[in-house]
Amino acid sequence: MPVTLVPAQTIGSDRLDMGFDRPSKARASSSPKIDYDGHFREAVDRLHAERRYRVFADIERIAGGFPQAKWRKPDGGTREITVWCSNDYLGMGQHPEVVGAMTDTAKRCGVGAGGTRNIAGNNSPLVDLERELADLHGKEAGLVFTSGYVSNQTGISTIAKLIPNCLILSDAFNHNSMIEGVRHSGCEKRVFRHNDRGHLEQLLREAGDRPKLIAFESVYSMDGDIAPIEAICDLADAYGAMTYIDEVHAVGLYGERGAGIAERDGVMHRIDVIEGTLAKGYGCVGGYITGSAVLCDAVRSHAAGFIFTTALPPAIAAAARASVRYLKRSKTEREAHQRQAAQTKAALDAAGLPVLATDTHIVPVMVGDAELCKAAADHLLEHHGIYIQPINYPTVPRGTERLRITPTPFHDDARIATLTTALVETWDTLDLPRAGTIFAAAAE
Ligand SMILES: *Cc1c(COP(=O)(O)O)cnc(C)c1O
C-alpha cells in the first residue's frame, strides 16, 4: 500500500482512527480470526502452573540510606524495607564520588550520548573509561558495551566468528549471556562439566589442532563457587586455546585493585579476554571486554551489538570510571564486604539454617521447592520488611530453589542479627527444611 501523507490539519484522533480502521476491518471479514493475545496468556499461565511466574518488587532505593529502600506495595501503601539481594555489592551506586561524577558530568554534557559510537556518540568520558578498564586488567585495550549481557553476547559471538573453524569450550554453568554469545557465533561448541578440568582436558585433546576458545566465569553467582583459573590457563597453554573469562561477580570485589579473581590469583596476564560489568560491584551500568588492541579493534569493527546501538552516555561513563578508580585505591569496602558476608554465613549457620558453604561473598540459603521459596520471600517482605528475591528455575536447577543473600559492607552486625531472627521465624512458620536436609539435592 502506498504511503499517503496526512495534511497537518487533519491529524486529530478521530480522523486517524477512521483512516486506519477501514482497511483492517476489510481484512478481518475475509480472514479467520486469530486470538493473538491467547498465545501470550497461555505462555504466562504455563509459568503460573509451574510456580515460576516472576513478580518484581516495586522499590525505590534511598541514596545515603543503602541498603534501605521504599517498597511500593501492591495495595498502594509504602513501607521501608531492607534489601538483602542487591548486586550493588559495595553500595557504590550511592558513593558520593560516583554520584558526584554523574551529576557533574550530566550538568556539563547533558544526558544521552546522542548517537552510536560511530555517529556522534563517542564521548570523551567513555574513551577515558575504556583506558581505565584496560589499565585495571593490565590489557592493551578495553571496549565498553551497554551492558554486561551485551558484552558477552556480542563479544563472544564476534570473537569466535572471526576465528575460522573455532571450537568453543563452554562451562556447563555459564550465564545465559555467554550461552547466547556461543549460539550467535554459529561455531561448533562443546560443554564441559562445571569447573571440571579433567573433562575440559579431554575435550581439548579430542579437538586436536583446530582453534579453540575456552569460555568460563570466575565467580559463579548462584552457588558462589570459583573456577580453577590457573589450571584452565595451564590447559589453554598446553592445548593452544584462547581464554575468555566473565569476571562480572568479581570486579571491584577481589584483587589488590579490584580487578577480580584472576588478579587475586596472579593469573590476569594469562587470560586473553577479561569481561566485566559496571553494574554490580561498580554500582552503575554498562559492560566491557579487555584484551589485546587488535582483538578490541576487530570486535569494535564487527560486533553488531556494539555498532548498531547508542553509546553509553557521558554521565554514566564518568560515574563508572569514578567507581573503578576509587576501588583501585580503596580496599576498605572489599575487606568490609568479605567480613560481613562471612559474618552472615556464620550467623545463619549457627541458627541451623541450610546455608550453602561458599568461598565467596554470596550466601545461598536452600529451600528446594519453587512454591515454598516464593512463599518464604513473600513472608520475609510482608512480615519483616526484608527483601530477598526467590531464585527459581531456570536460573538454578529445579529442586535447588533458594534465597540468594548478598551482604554488603552496609549490612552491619545489627542487620545480620535481624535477618537471622526473621529467617528462623520464617523457617518455623512455613516448616522449611533445616541444615543438612537438602544439601544432597543442591550438590548434584
Ligand atoms: C549479571 C551477569 C551478566 C550481565 O551483566 P549486566 O551488566 O547485568 O548485563 C553477565 N554475566 C554474569 C555471570 C552475570 O551474572
Side-chain angles (χ1 to χ4, degrees):
M1 209 175 84
V3 175
T4 317
L5 289 179
V6 183
Q9 69 270 28
T10 68
I11 298 181
S13 57
D14 50 346
R15 299 281 178 98
L16 283 175
D17 283 347
M18 277 175 63
F20 286 114
D21 268 349
R22 245 177 287 132
S24 74
K25 268 180 190 154
R27 274 199 304 275
S29 64
S30 59
S31 309
K33 194 162 161 46
I34 301 171
D35 179 15
Y36 290 104
D37 271 349
H39 295 295
F40 306 129
R41 213 170 295 117
E42 261 172 45
V44 171
D45 287 347
R46 275 198 300 277
L47 296 179
H48 279 295
E50 292 177 25
R51 305 288 175 231
R52 55 189 190 90
Y53 178 77
R54 291 167 189 240
V55 180
F56 301 158
D58 178 352
I59 62 169
E60 189 171 286
R61 287 157 37 105
I62 304 166
F66 185 82
Q68 299 306 109
K70 269 187 282 181
W71 173 42
R72 196 155 60 177
K73 301 203 272 186
D75 68 11
T78 58
R79 173 174 183 175
E80 186 170 323
I81 54 156
T82 306
V83 178
W84 273 98
C85 58
S86 175
N87 281 335
D88 186 355
Y89 290 125
L90 303 177
M92 292 304 286
Q94 62 157 26
H95 193 284
E97 282 188 29
V98 177
V99 175
M102 185 174 296
T103 50
D104 289 352
T105 309
K107 284 188 185 131
R108 207 157 40 80
C109 306
V111 299
T116 64
R117 292 293 287 271
N118 190 40
I119 306 175
N122 190 39
N123 54 85
S124 308
L126 189 43
V127 173
D128 292 342
L129 171 62
E130 286 176 339
R131 289 209 189 96
E132 196 72 55
L133 293 165
D135 171 78
L136 175 70
H137 293 291
K139 302 294 177 201
E140 288 172 356
L143 200 60
V144 167
F145 302 80
T146 46
S147 75
Y149 191 98
V150 172
S151 63
N152 273 334
Q153 188 194 39
T154 203
I156 293 174
S157 63
T158 306
I159 291 165
K161 220 182 281 182
L162 292 174
I163 307 168
N165 193 32
C166 184
L167 172 75
I168 304 177
L169 298 141
S170 179
D171 187 285
F173 281 14
N174 275 347
H175 188 259
N176 176 273
S177 54
M178 302 177 82
I179 295 168
E180 286 299 315
V182 172
R183 206 197 307 273
H184 277 249
S185 74
C187 295
E188 198 185 330
K189 67 141 197 257
R190 304 296 300 274
V191 175
F192 60 95
R193 287 191 294 271
H194 177 54
N195 280 351
D196 186 334
R197 58 197 97 172
H199 191 213
L200 174 60
E201 176 156 29
Q202 183 195 325
L203 296 180
L204 284 165
R205 198 182 305 118
E206 285 168 11
D209 288 339
R210 67 189 289 190
K212 298 166 283 285
L213 176 67
I214 306 172
F216 64 113
E217 300 179 22
S218 62
V219 172
Y220 287 84
S221 73
M222 289 301 148
D223 289 343
D225 56 337
I226 295 178
I229 304 178
E230 186 168 17
I232 291 175
C233 290
D234 289 345
L235 288 174
D237 286 349
Y239 292 91
M242 246 185 91
T243 46
Y244 179 109
I245 195 170
D246 173 319
E247 288 254 37
V248 161
H249 290 279
V251 288
L253 314 180
Y254 295 88
E256 185 62 23
R257 296 198 307 161
I261 300 286
E263 182 190 32
R264 184 197 74 178
D265 293 356
V267 291
M268 204 157 61
H269 62 288
R270 298 185 60 192
I271 296 177
D272 295 300
V273 184
I274 299 178
E275 183 270 346
T277 184
L278 303 164
K280 293 173 183 172
Y282 293 123
C284 299
V285 73
Y288 64 89
I289 61 168
T290 60
S292 73
V294 68
L295 179 139
C296 289
D297 196 23
V299 173
R300 181 187 73 86
S301 313
H302 287 90
F306 177 86
I307 295 170
F308 297 106
T309 191
T310 298
L312 220 57
I316 304 273
R321 182 176 182 223
S323 187
V324 173
R325 280 170 76 109
Y326 176 86
L327 288 173
K328 274 180 180 173
R329 59 175 198 270
S330 175
K331 280 185 278 199
T332 320
E333 292 76 12
R334 279 191 282 284
E335 285 164 5
H337 184 219
Q338 292 300 318
R339 191 171 60 241
Q340 295 315 106
Q343 172 68 20
T344 306
K345 280 185 243 180
L348 302 189
D349 193 47
L353 292 159
V355 52
L356 204 62
T358 70
D359 303 327
T360 59
H361 56 280
I362 291 158
V363 184
V365 180
M366 307 306 288
V367 178
D369 177 274
E371 201 159 353
L372 286 174
C373 198
K374 167 111 177 47
D378 288 347
H379 184 87
L380 284 164
L381 190 56
E382 281 155 23
H383 295 267
H384 299 280
I386 285 176
Y387 172 38
I388 309 172
Q389 189 67 23
I391 308 282
N392 288 347
Y393 176 84
T395 308
V396 295
R398 290 183 211 272
T400 73
E401 291 83 0
R402 66 198 64 185
L403 298 179
R404 175 183 177 272
I405 299 174
T406 52
T408 73
F410 296 91
H411 291 85
D412 55 18
D413 292 357
R415 283 194 171 98
I416 293 171
T418 305
L419 170 75
T420 308
T421 309
L423 282 172
V424 167
E425 188 277 331
T426 303
W427 250 246
D428 286 343
T429 303
L430 299 177
D431 195 23
L432 298 177
R434 294 289 171 157
T437 47
I438 56 160
F439 278 115
E444 75 180 28

